[in-house]
Amino acid sequence: MESANLVPLSRLHRPSASRPPAAPLDVEALAAALSREVDGEVRFDGGSRALYATDGSNYRQVPIGVVIPRHRVDVMATVDVCRRFGAPVLSRGGGTSLAGQCCNVAVVMDMSKLMHGILDLDPERRTARVLPGTVLDVLRSAANAHDLTFGPDPSTHNHCTLGGMIGNNSCGVHSVIAGRTAENVHELEVLTYDGLVMRVGPTPPDRLEAIVREGGRRGEIYGKLRSLADRYGELVRARYPKIPRRVSGYNLDELLPENGFHVARALVGTEGTCVTVLEATLRLVPWPRARTLLVLGYPDVYSAADHVPDVMREAPMGLEAIDRRLIDDIHKKGLHERYLRYLPEGEAFLLVEFGGGDKDEADARAGAALERLRKTSPRPSGKIYDDRDQEEKLWKVRESGLGATARIPGSPDTWEGWEDSAVPPERMGDYLRQLRRLFEAHGYDGAFYGHFGQGCLHTRINFDLRSKEGIANYHEFIEEAAALVVRFGGSLSGEHGDGQSRAELLPRMFGPELVQAFREFKAIWDPEGRMNPGKVVDPFDADENLRLGASFSPPAVETHFKYPDDDGDFTRATLRCVGVGECRREHGGTMCPSYRATREEMHSTRGRAHLLFEMMRGKELDGWRDEHVRESLDLCLACKGCKGDCPVNVDVATYKAEFLSHHYAGRLRPRAAYSMGLVHTWARLASRAPGLVNLFSQSPLTSGLLKRAGGIAPARRVPLFARRTFRQLWRARPEWNVGRPDVVLWPDTFNDHFFPDTALAAAEVLEAAGYHVVVPEGDACCGRPLYDFGMLDAARRWLRRAIGRLDDAIERDLPVVGLEPSCVSVFRDEMHGLFPDDPRAQRLRRRVFLLGEFLEKEAGAVEWPALRAKAVVQGHCHEQALFGTEHQRAFLGRLGLDVDVLDAGCCGMAGSFGFEAGQKYDVSLKVAELGVLPAVRAASGETLLVADGFSCREQIGSLTSRRALHGAEVARMALAGEKQPPRPEEPPLLGPALPAAVASVTLGAAGVGLALRGRRAT
C-alpha cells in the first residue's frame, strides 16, 4: 500500500463488474477511529503491516493495518469502524495457511494473541466452547483428561488456532476417525460485515420457517440460504465429490435437508470471506488411552498407495505415508535422521496407528493387522513399536515433511501450489503414477507423503516462481493437475483450502453454475464484498500477488557472514521461512522463547524472518536502519533454538548479528554492548585484581552505579571473578599422562575467569579417560558475546586469533574439547558462516567437541564409577540446537545416573540477555518460569541439577536456592566416589551471578569506545 493517506479502493480488492468504483479510503482517519473505539492494539505502522504481509503461502499483500482485539466487543467495534470507512476485513489465527487466504490488503484482526481460551468443556455432552484464537493442542490437552479429543489434528496442531481451522476446514492424521473440522462443529457465533451477531448451527424445518418469518437481517439471510439450497441442491448432489477430503469450495452440501440445514458447517471452510467467528462450540470424540504404531514397508510409494484399501479394512485411527524422496531429503538435511533407523525395510512406508483401552489391546490390534496384511499383495515388511519415544520420533519424521522438502542443500527450492490434492483412497496409487508423469513433463520433482488413508497427498514442488517462463510453466501445470484430479473424482484441496492458490481452478472441479452459487452464498453474508476479498470467490489468479514473481529483484548487499547454505545471499537466507509457524508453539523444544513470553508475532522466528525479507524488498521498511526490525530482533535471545527446531533451519541469531552490525555501523551501541560484549577484555583486566573489582561490583555504594553504567538490571546479581584463573591454576599444576594421546582443552572466558574449578574438573576427567590434556598458550577468546551485539568486525578478528592459537592442534588433527556450549557453537557454527572457504577453519570445525560428546564418541570404552543417583539436565540452547542432548544423556547414564533431560525450552538468561536492564530482564524471568524454574523447584534435594551452560547455571543460581553443576563436575564426583558435590572455592568477597562486575573497569574503557562511535572500539 502506498504511504499516502488516500488509497483507491479499487487497489484493495477485485470489484465485480456490476459494482461501481468505491471512494478512496482515508487510512489515517480509519486508524484514528479504530484507536478510539478498540481496547486492544491498533497498529498501522510500516513494521506491523510488513509483518502481516504474508502467511505460509507463496503470496504477499500488505495489509491496511492490524488490530489485536482484546475481546469480542473489540472485534465488533473493528468491523463496525471498517464498515463505516468501507475497508475490507480479514480475520487471522495462527497465520499458517498455505493457499494465500491469510494475507490481504485489508484490516487484519489477529485473534491469536488475546482472543484465546476454553470457555466451557462438557465431557458428558462431549462438547467444548472456545474462542477463535485458542491453539488446538490447548483444547486437546484439556479434553484428553476426559479421554476425549478434538479429532482433526493437522501437523501444526501445537500452534494452529481453532478459528483458523474453522476458516480452512482443516483435517489431519485423526480425521480418519473424526472427519474434517466441518464434521466437528456444533455451533458458531458469527459477526457479519454489516454488524449482525448471531448463533448458527443445525436448523430443523420448523425452526428454519420460524426464523424466516421473524424477518430482519437474520430472517433475510436464512431465507436466501434456503432459496439457494433449493435452486442448486440437485447440482450440489451431483457435482460434489463423495470423498473423505473434499475441502475445496463452499460447503453448500451442509444446507441440504438431508444434512439438517447446518448453517455453521456451511460456514466452515469459507476462509474469512463471509463472516467473522466470535466463538465456536465443537464436538469432541473418544480418545484411546493407549496407541500403538505399526509401520509397513513397500518397494515404492505407488504400491504403498495401492495397499491403502486393505489397510483401511483394519479400522486404524490414523494412516499416513512417506516416500523415499522424503527420506532422502531428511538424510540430506540431517533433520530427524537419527529416527530413520527405526523404520523397517522398504522404499516407502505406511504409518498405521491403532488405539485401545490399554496398551495390550492396542498392541493386539496392531499385531493382528500385521499378520493379516502380510497375507495380502503387495506383501509389506512391518514393525510394531512398543516404545512410546520411538513412536513419537517416527511421527516427527512424518510431520517434518514440509520442512524436510522445502530447502534441500544442492537442490532448487520447493513451494506449495499443488500441495494437498485429494482423490478417492482406492484410486490413490494410479493418481500418484499419473501425477508423477505430469511432474516429469513439466520438469518438476517433489516428495509424496500425506494422509493416504483418506486419499490426501502432500507435496512441495520445485516451481520456478521468479521468471516469466517459470511462472507460465507453473500456471500451465496447475491447470493440467486440476484436470487430472477432477478425472479421478477428487478435490483440488484436501486440507489447506482454496484461498488464492486454487480458487481460479474451481470452475474445473464444480462447473460454472456451482461457482456462481458460491458467489451468491458469499453475497448473502457479505453483500458489499469486503470480507477477505479476492479469495475463493471472484479470486485473484494463482500467479498474482506472488511473494517473489518475475519483478522480484532485491538489492545485493555486502555482509559479514557468507551464508554458504544460502548461496552466499542474505535475501535468500531470509526466504528460508516457509511460514508454517512452528516457532509459535507454546510447549516443547527450544524455539522460540521470546514468542512464548510475549505471544507477539514480531517476536516469533517467522515474524523476524518476514520482517527481514520485507526489509530487503525495500518498500515498507527502511533498510538496515529500520527501527521496526531492530525492535523485533531486540528481544531475540540468540538462543539458536530456531536453527535446530525450525523445519527449515531459519537462523535468526545469525541474522540478528548481521543486522545489528549494519544498524549500528558508525553509531553508538547500547551500553550493554560495551560492558558485556567486551567481557573477555574486562575479565583479563579484572584478573589482575579480582578482589578489588569484586569489592566495587558488590558494594552497596558502587554496585548500583556500575550496573547503570553497564546497562545491567538492578536486580541481577553480578558474577564474582575467581581468585585465580584456570590458566593460572593450570600453569602451577603438574603435567599428567605425558606420552598418551593429546586432547586440547579450550579455556573459554567464563570457565577461565569465573568458574576455573569446572575447567580443572574437566581436565581431571579427560586425564582419567587416558588423555594428555593440552591448554593453548597465549590469550584467546572465541568472541561469543560479540555476536549478540553485532560487533562482527571484532568477532572476525578474535576468531582468527583463536584459530591461530589452535594451529598446532589443527595441523595434528587433535580433538579440541570445550566446556561452554555457546563457545563451542562458535567453532561449529559462526566460524563456518564467516570462513566457509578456509580449510583450517573447516578442519577445526570437524574436531571441536563438547566434553560429554567427546567422551561418548572418542572415549566410549572407558569404565566409569557409578553414582546411583537422579539427575535433571537443562541443556544449553546452543547445545540443543546444534549438538543435541543425546550425548549428554548417554554419558551421564554411564555414570550411573537416572537422567531426565528437560524439554522445558530456554532458561531465559541466554548469555548477556537476562542481565540487561529493562524489558529483556522481564522477558528473561518470564521465559525461565515457562519451564526451567518449575522443573528445578520440583526436583528433590538429592537430585543433581546439571547444566553445562554458564548462563543456565547463573539463571538457576540467581532465581532459586539450588546450584547447578557442569557435567565435568558430575564426572569428577563419580571418579572421587562422592554423592554430593564439594562446595566450590569462595571467590574473594561475596557470593555469585555476568560481567557487570567489570563495569568498574568498563567506565573508562567504554568512554573510549563511545568516543570512537562504535567503529573500532571493539
Side-chain angles (χ1 to χ4, degrees):
M1 189 181 69
E2 290 89 341
S3 59
N5 291 329
L6 297 181
V7 181
L9 268 182
S10 60
R11 295 285 305 281
L12 304 183
H13 60 86
R14 295 167 65 90
S16 68
S18 61
R19 186 162 54 240
L25 175 63
D26 189 335
V27 175
E28 189 173 289
L30 171 65
L34 286 168
S35 297
R36 286 193 303 270
E37 300 187 32
V38 171
D39 288 341
E41 303 164 28
V42 176
R43 306 174 179 176
F44 276 56
D45 59 279
S48 296
R49 292 168 53 244
L51 194 63
Y52 289 84
T54 190
D55 48 10
S57 72
N58 297 330
Y59 301 101
R60 173 185 182 273
Q61 291 176 279
V62 181
I64 301 168
V66 178
V67 174
I68 315 289
R70 188 171 299 279
H71 40 63
R72 67 198 305 274
V73 176
D74 274 354
V75 178
M76 296 163 64
T78 299
V79 173
D80 178 64
V81 171
C82 288
R83 180 177 67 255
R84 299 201 308 259
F85 281 82
V89 172
L90 165 61
S91 298
R92 174 167 157 146
T96 62
S97 298
L98 294 177
Q101 58 266 63
C102 249
C103 59
N104 212 327
V105 184
V107 173
V108 173
M109 290 186 291
D110 182 351
M111 304 289 198
S112 66
K113 182 180 179 182
L114 302 173
M115 286 280 290
H116 56 86
I118 301 172
L119 302 175
D120 179 62
L121 196 154
D122 188 337
E124 298 299 320
R125 296 182 60 233
R126 294 182 179 175
T127 61
R129 198 159 53 90
V130 300
L131 293 174
T134 307
V135 170
L136 170 59
D137 269 4
V138 172
L139 174 60
R140 293 175 76 207
S141 178
N144 287 170
H146 305 283
D147 296 327
L148 299 170
T149 193
F150 184 72
D153 54 348
S155 60
T156 54
H157 54 82
N158 59 8
H159 58 281
C160 68
T161 67
L162 288 158
M165 292 181 67
I166 291 167
N168 292 347
N169 200 6
S170 299
C171 305
V173 173
H174 296 108
S175 294
V176 166
I177 59 172
R180 305 164 300 161
T181 295
E183 280 85 55
N184 295 275
V185 168
H186 275 312
E187 188 177 75
L188 297 176
E189 184 181 46
V190 300
L191 169 68
T192 64
Y193 188 77
D194 53 14
L196 177 66
V197 174
M198 61 181 184
R199 289 190 175 273
V200 295
T203 320
D206 56 344
R207 180 63 179 148
L208 173 58
E209 183 63 36
I211 293 172
V212 174
R213 279 202 311 269
E214 287 172 6
R217 177 72 173 117
R218 184 183 184 219
E220 175 192 352
I221 289 173
Y222 273 73
K224 289 183 177 180
L225 291 175
R226 182 175 63 181
S227 173
L228 185 77
D230 290 344
R231 286 183 288 115
Y232 290 101
E234 289 307 315
L235 204 53
V236 168
R237 294 182 182 95
R239 294 297 300 266
Y240 271 48
K242 306 300 188 292
I243 60 174
R245 286 294 190 97
R246 196 279 305 155
V247 172
S248 279
Y250 288 154
N251 294 332
L252 300 187
D253 53 333
E254 295 291 352
L255 296 178
L256 299 177
E258 58 267 34
N259 293 326
F261 202 84
H262 205 308
V263 178
R265 292 181 178 178
L267 286 170
V268 173
T270 54
E271 304 179 9
T273 61
C274 296
V275 297
T276 296
V277 175
L278 298 174
E279 183 185 300
T281 303
L282 307 174
R283 175 178 79 125
L284 303 176
V285 297
W287 185 241
R289 293 188 174 183
R291 293 169 298 285
T292 294
L293 179 64
L294 163 65
V295 177
L296 304 172
Y298 298 86
D300 55 55
V301 72
Y302 312 110
S303 56
D306 291 338
H307 208 209
V308 163
D310 286 326
V311 179
M312 286 300 294
R313 291 188 189 100
E314 303 298 327
M317 58 184 294
L319 175 52
E320 302 290 293
I322 53 179
D323 76 349
R324 169 50 59 186
R325 282 176 171 81
L326 176 59
I327 299 297
D328 289 344
D329 290 344
I330 291 173
H331 273 302
K332 290 175 184 176
K333 296 186 69 172
L335 186 68
H336 307 310
E337 186 172 3
R338 58 191 180 276
Y339 306 157
L340 299 180
R341 64 178 180 266
Y342 301 134
L343 291 169
E345 181 181 350
E347 296 292 303
F349 305 92
L350 294 180
L351 281 65
V352 195
E353 188 175 48
F354 293 92
D358 55 31
K359 189 63 175 169
D360 289 342
E361 180 185 350
D363 286 349
R365 292 194 60 208
L370 178 58
E371 184 177 348
R372 286 191 292 267
L373 290 168
R374 279 179 168 164
K375 299 174 183 177
T376 61
S377 180
R379 185 177 185 274
S381 66
K383 185 174 180 180
I384 295 173
Y385 298 82
D386 289 321
D387 187 306
R388 187 62 186 165
D389 184 60
Q390 288 186 5
E391 292 180 3
E392 290 177 356
K393 286 177 169 57
L394 286 170
W395 281 118
K396 283 184 180 293
V397 170
R398 161 60 188 89
E399 290 179 355
S400 71
L402 186 152
T405 58
R407 180 70 73 86
I408 308 301
S411 302
D413 292 347
T414 62
W415 304 92
E416 56 273 7
W418 193 254
E419 77 284 348
D420 69 323
S421 54
V423 297
E426 64 273 13
R427 303 192 69 185
M428 192 73 173
D430 288 338
Y431 171 64
L432 295 182
R433 292 179 180 95
Q434 293 197 33
L435 184 62
R436 178 64 66 188
R437 287 196 283 271
L438 187 59
F439 276 21
E440 293 167 355
H442 286 267
Y444 292 145
D445 196 5
F448 286 166
Y449 59 99
H451 312 288
F452 280 24
Q454 292 194 303
C456 181
L457 169 70
H458 287 322
T459 184
R460 287 178 66 92
I461 304 171
N462 55 330
F463 298 126
D464 168 14
L465 300 178
R466 292 189 63 168
S467 73
K468 289 183 179 179
E469 297 77 15
I471 293 170
N473 188 33
Y474 152 71
H475 202 278
E476 183 180 346
F477 168 82
I478 62 171
E479 289 274 7
E480 294 178 22
L484 175 65
V485 82
V486 169
R487 287 202 303 273
F488 273 85
S491 174
L492 308 177
S493 171
E495 180 150 30
H496 299 144
D498 300 313
Q500 184 176 342
S501 285
R502 286 169 287 275
E504 70 161 289
L505 304 172
L506 290 176
R508 282 190 174 274
M509 177 177 169
F510 292 101
E513 298 91 344
L514 281 180
V515 169
Q516 175 59 29
F518 297 159
R519 188 176 289 113
E520 293 178 28
F521 180 80
K522 174 178 169 62
I524 290 170
W525 298 99
D526 177 32
E528 295 185 56
R530 296 291 193 267
M531 300 294 295
N532 203 11
K535 310 299 164 91
V536 185
V537 169
D538 297 322
F540 293 100
D541 292 338
D543 54 6
E544 291 184 85
N545 302 321
L546 290 172
R547 197 190 316 185
L548 300 183
S551 63
F552 180 67
S553 182
V557 293
E558 187 172 339
T559 56
H560 296 273
F561 287 100
K562 303 306 179 187
Y563 303 99
D565 299 326
D566 295 292
D567 302 332
D569 185 347
F570 181 72
T571 300
R572 179 166 160 73
T574 68
L575 265 172
R576 271 188 174 271
C577 179
V578 295
V580 72
E582 185 73 9
C583 47
R584 288 170 53 96
R585 66 190 179 199
E586 298 177 0
H587 305 284
T590 307
M591 174 182 72
C592 175
S594 51
Y595 173 78
R596 293 184 189 184
T598 67
R599 294 183 67 95
E600 277 280 2
E601 175 70 13
M602 72 171 175
H603 295 145
S604 68
T605 299
R606 179 180 72 182
R608 289 168 174 139
H610 283 176
L611 279 177
L612 287 164
F613 171 74
E614 292 292 328
M615 179 191 81
M616 295 307 296
R617 286 184 65 96
K619 298 290 176 79
E620 278 67 37
L621 303 177
D622 185 25
W624 297 115
R625 298 295 198 199
D626 192 85
E627 282 298 312
H628 299 104
V629 181
R630 187 206 59 76
E631 181 186 4
S632 169
L633 292 171
D634 190 51
L635 288 188
C636 167
L637 284 80
C639 67
K640 293 185 183 288
C642 48
K643 184 154 189 173
D645 288 359
C646 172
V648 284
N649 310 116
V650 170
D651 185 6
V652 174
T654 295
Y655 308 160
K656 174 184 178 179
E658 187 73 63
F659 173 83
L660 292 178
S661 70
H662 296 275
H663 185 77
Y664 286 111
R667 298 198 295 176
L668 298 179
R669 284 178 164 83
R671 288 168 292 167
Y674 303 106
S675 66
M676 288 181 272
L678 302 177
V679 57
H680 180 70
T681 300
W682 312 134
R684 286 182 60 202
L685 293 172
S687 67
R688 299 176 183 177
L692 178 61
V693 174
N694 289 340
L695 175 64
F696 276 99
S697 70
Q698 305 299 317
S699 169
L701 296 176
T702 55
S703 62
L705 173 64
L706 297 180
K707 288 178 185 178
R708 284 196 297 275
I712 295 162
R716 278 294 179 196
R717 298 188 311 181
V718 177
L720 292 169
F721 288 95
R723 293 179 184 274
R724 291 180 293 173
T725 68
F726 165 67
R727 290 175 182 275
Q728 291 168 341
L729 294 169
W730 182 255
R731 286 194 289 268
R733 186 178 180 273
E735 193 171 12
W736 288 76
N737 290 351
V738 177
R740 303 295 296 275
D742 286 342
V743 61
V744 177
L745 180 61
W746 178 255
D748 64 88
T749 298
F750 306 104
N751 287 301
D752 189 15
H753 291 274
F754 297 100
F755 294 126
D757 191 59
T758 299
L760 284 174
E764 293 171 18
V765 170
L766 289 169
E767 289 167 345
Y771 289 91
H772 173 240
V773 177
V774 177
V775 176
E777 293 293 332
D779 175 67
C781 174
C782 69
R784 169 74 263 164
L786 297 170
Y787 297 91
D788 296 342
F789 299 100
M791 295 167 142
L792 296 186
D793 286 332
R796 287 177 62 91
R797 293 197 303 274
W798 290 27
L799 188 51
R800 279 287 187 204
R801 185 171 60 189
I803 295 171
R805 299 293 188 212
L806 293 168
D807 262 342
D808 181 63
I810 296 169
E811 285 297 317
R812 298 169 57 198
D813 201 33
L814 298 180
V816 178
V817 173
L819 305 177
E820 171 55 43
S822 64
C823 294
V824 178
S825 75
V826 171
F827 293 109
R828 284 277 186 93
D829 191 22
E830 279 85 357
M831 185 169 68
H832 177 58
L834 290 171
F835 311 125
D837 302 319
D838 184 335
R840 292 162 60 251
Q842 297 310 309
R843 286 176 62 187
L844 175 60
R845 182 187 184 214
R846 290 190 292 270
R847 296 294 283 161
V848 172
F849 303 91
L850 290 168
L851 177 65
E853 182 187 28
F854 173 75
L855 292 171
E856 272 301 292
K857 289 182 177 179
E858 306 290 329
V862 177
E863 292 292 330
W864 300 93
L867 281 172
R868 307 296 179 202
K870 290 186 177 182
V872 169
V873 179
Q874 167 60 13
H876 188 281
C877 292
H878 291 191
E879 180 181 13
Q880 295 182 65
L882 301 178
F883 310 93
T885 55
E886 289 186 359
H887 65 271
Q888 183 84 311
R889 183 194 300 274
F891 176 64
L892 294 175
R894 288 174 55 209
L895 296 179
L897 293 171
D898 178 8
V899 181
D900 176 17
V901 178
L902 296 179
D903 185 22
C906 180
C907 73
M909 184 65 87
S912 65
F913 183 93
F915 282 96
E916 293 189 49
Q919 192 177 7
K920 291 184 180 180
Y921 173 76
D922 297 335
V923 168
S924 173
L925 298 188
K926 287 183 181 178
V927 171
E929 291 291 352
L930 292 174
V932 174
L933 292 188
V936 169
R937 296 188 190 107
S940 69
E942 294 76 33
T943 299
L944 296 176
L945 297 180
V946 183
D948 283 359
F950 173 81
S951 55
C952 301
R953 298 200 300 277
E954 284 300 303
Q955 186 79 313
I956 292 170
S958 64
L959 299 179
T960 74
S961 60
R962 299 295 301 273
R963 173 178 171 245
L965 304 173
H966 193 285
E969 297 173 284
V970 177
R972 183 170 63 180
M973 286 170 53
L975 293 174
E978 299 169 345
K979 295 299 182 183
Q980 290 294 323
R983 291 184 63 82
E985 179 189 48
E986 191 73 11
L989 291 177
L990 313 170
L994 188 87
V998 304
S1000 58
V1001 184
T1002 303
L1003 287 177
V1008 177
L1010 297 177
L1012 292 175
R1013 298 186 61 78
R1015 293 179 182 172
R1016 305 293 291 178
T1018 57

